[in-house]
Amino acid sequence: MKERIRQRARELGFDACGFAAAQPPPTALRFQEWLERGCQGEMEYLRRTAPRRMDPRRVLPGARTAIVLAAQYLPPGAAGNSGPVARYARYDDYHEVLGRALDQLITWLDAGPAPGEPGGAAPGSGEKRFAGYVDTGPVLERALAQEAGLGFIGKHTNLVLPQAGNWAFLAVILTTLELPPDAPAKNRCGACARCLAACPTRAITAPYQLDARRCLAYWTIEAKGDIPEELRPALGERVFGCDDCLAACPWNRFAAGSRMLKPFLRPELCAPDLAAWLRLDEAGFKTRFQGTPLERLKHRRFLRNACVVAGNLGLRGALPILEALSRQADPLVAGHAGWAVRRIESRGVPRAGLESEAVAC
Ligand code: B12
Ligand code: SF4
Ligand code: SF4
């Protein structure tokens, strides 16, 4: 049964599939400690859902197995550290793409043999029920993935697939089916600490510990308010997400291109024209980013991030639009645009056309 599920998952575009017992992973208490230190910042939903997050049986009553899946997402031509848009976001929204494949897998499982029937799960596992999540439910996806043998949680806190590196999304199906668990993966970081050294803000405060309040992915994707002034220069050219710690990992020498995501690549997110992005109005923003992960930022937080980047890159050609934005009624946009204007002016570089300042991933 497990091999048939793995084969079906592969046919649907997943690159790895493993099985873990649906129970609190051994590292669950680490999650609680992390919350107690306040490392989640404004992501209060993590605290609210903590008891369920730590025990999959509270998410799906009667759950016996977690089927854990991974799909690689390294986009073509991606090199170096972080670009304006993190690698994971240069496609249609992965929640949708993986979500569709997950639904197909669940439909297939649901139609398969019942528990106890030939080819089915262990007898006595009762009614078949499923709950599938792609970053959409209260599940410790990385910890379950490690338990299911997919890969190990690296010191940067992301799952590393030994055969494919860390550029992979995760998805989980909790089910009442009883399937024998795979062997958990062993950590293979060894003495390496490249990801800690690569982080521009020292957000990885110790191996396996990330303080979201210092993480640029958090500030550009999740945070609702002002980006702290002391972190703005470190944002560099990142408009959305950060890849530096991931790009440092030597296991990425085994990374291959994405099978599942490839048809959903958004080339305009690989080589953005920042000046054009700054000029987008609300409707233009919606049209341009519909169906991508950037859509959930909404226009004002997108402008917040883009203003900081324009300031960091010293885009003098963007001064007129930044000055206009600094007079906007919304203090979030006005404040960050004003900061960018001051940063550019303080550099004293002659004004240049933005076209020659195109940003490349
Ligand atoms: C909240 C969140 C964030 C937050 C916090 C990140 C974090 N490291 O916790 C922010 C916004 C910063 C973020 C950023 C990113 N995210 Co995110 N995020 C999540 C989310 C929704 C929850 C993660 C969570 O619970 N964090 C809390 C911490 C404590 O949990 P944890 O890291 O899993 O910790 C476990 C272990 O590390 C271990 N542990 C903790 N401390 C210690 C200490 C020791 C000594 C040991 C041994 C173990 C240990 O125990 C913990 C509990 O089991 C998950 C989806 C999900 N439901 O899981 C996606 C997820 C983790 N994110 C993902 C991605 C792709 C990213 C980014 C790469 C995006 C980007 N390029 O900008 C960055 C990576 C930043 C980074 N270095 O982690 C992917 C990661 C895939 C993978 N291969 O691991 C996930 C799984 C989404 C998905 N479905 O694919 N993310
Ligand atoms: S995503 Fe960026 S800021 Fe966050 S821990 Fe990794 S390198 Fe540091
Ligand atoms: S860069 Fe090194 S320490 Fe960090 S996750 Fe990869 S192997 Fe582990």
Side-chain angles (χ1 to χ4, degrees):
M1 178 72 177
K2 278 169 57 175
E3 287 323 307
R4 286 179 54 217
I5 298 174
R6 275 194 244 271
Q7 191 194 330
R8 184 69 192 131
R10 211 177 154 69
E11 286 163 10
L12 289 168
F14 289 105
D15 297 300
C17 171
F19 301 82
Q23 60 189 32
T27 55
L29 284 178
R30 300 277 184 185
F31 175 68
Q32 198 165 21
E33 288 164 13
W34 186 79
L35 291 173
E36 279 160 13
R37 290 198 302 276
C39 293
Q40 77 281 14
E42 289 173 15
M43 297 181 290
E44 261 309 304
Y45 73 96
L46 291 171
R47 184 191 289 281
R48 222 177 29 248
T49 56
R52 284 191 290 150
R53 223 163 255 275
M54 290 162 63
D55 187 349
R57 294 166 302 192
R58 290 184 175 218
V59 180
L60 180 74
R64 290 187 168 82
T65 306
I67 305 174
V68 192
L69 302 132
Q72 296 188 64
Y73 66 76
L74 183 65
N81 292 341
S82 302
V85 176
R87 288 161 174 75
Y88 89 95
R90 297 179 199 170
Y91 300 93
D92 285 356
D93 195 333
Y94 72 95
H95 300 98
E96 300 295 324
V97 179
L98 269 75
R100 285 195 292 269
L102 207 59
D103 286 346
Q104 283 179 270
L105 188 56
I106 291 175
T107 306
W108 179 84
L109 283 164
D110 206 15
E117 287 178 11
S125 39
E127 187 197 349
K128 281 196 286 183
R129 273 178 293 130
F130 306 94
Y133 302 105
V134 184
D135 198 357
T136 43
V139 184
L140 289 174
E141 293 176 347
R142 295 188 272 206
L144 288 175
Q146 183 166 273
E147 287 309 293
L150 254 57
F152 60 92
I153 296 176
K155 290 178 186 171
H156 54 21
T157 78
N158 286 277
L159 195 85
V160 181
L161 281 67
Q163 77 286 9
N166 55 207
W167 309 113
F169 294 121
L170 300 177
V172 173
I173 297 173
L174 300 179
T175 174
T176 53
L177 292 178
E178 190 162 350
L179 299 160
D182 290 326
K186 290 202 174 61
N187 184 278
R188 295 168 78 174
C189 283
C192 175
R194 288 191 203 178
C195 50
L196 279 87
C199 176
T201 56
R202 297 183 189 277
I204 309 173
T205 51
Y208 314 105
Q209 297 194 33
L210 178 132
D211 188 339
R213 293 166 299 184
R214 295 200 62 77
C215 176
L216 299 173
Y218 167 78
W219 283 107
T220 54
I221 302 170
E222 297 290 338
K224 306 276 181 277
D226 284 355
I227 298 172
E229 288 214 18
E230 68 274 16
L231 292 182
R232 290 182 201 175
L235 218 66
E237 61 175 359
R238 297 169 188 78
V239 176
F240 191 79
C242 175
D243 279 340
D244 282 22
C245 56
L246 296 162
C249 185
W251 290 94
N252 292 330
R253 65 186 181 276
F254 301 120
S258 177
R259 288 193 302 129
M260 188 189 288
L261 278 299
K262 195 176 170 194
F264 303 100
L265 187 76
R266 294 281 193 117
E268 75 275 18
L269 298 178
C270 293
D273 176 347
L274 195 65
W277 279 13
L278 279 168
R279 284 191 217 102
L280 289 173
D281 60 11
E282 181 107 31
F285 169 81
K286 279 190 185 145
T287 312
R288 178 71 61 99
F289 297 113
Q290 196 170 27
T292 75
L294 279 79
E295 189 180 11
R296 59 187 285 252
L297 263 186
K298 305 260 169 36
H299 189 221
R300 58 195 295 268
R301 290 199 294 141
F302 168 76
L303 284 179
R304 172 196 69 182
N305 298 355
C307 286
V308 174
V309 170
N312 286 339
L313 297 179
L315 300 185
R316 295 191 71 79
L319 276 171
I321 180 67
L322 288 170
E323 278 156 359
L325 290 171
S326 73
R327 292 190 291 275
Q328 264 207 6
D330 183 341
L332 185 76
V333 177
H336 289 77
W339 178 87
V341 170
R342 290 192 298 281
R343 187 160 166 81
I344 296 171
E345 297 287 15
S346 70
R347 291 185 176 183
V349 184
R351 281 180 187 249
L354 254 181
E355 284 59 40
S356 60
E357 295 170 319
V359 184
C361 290

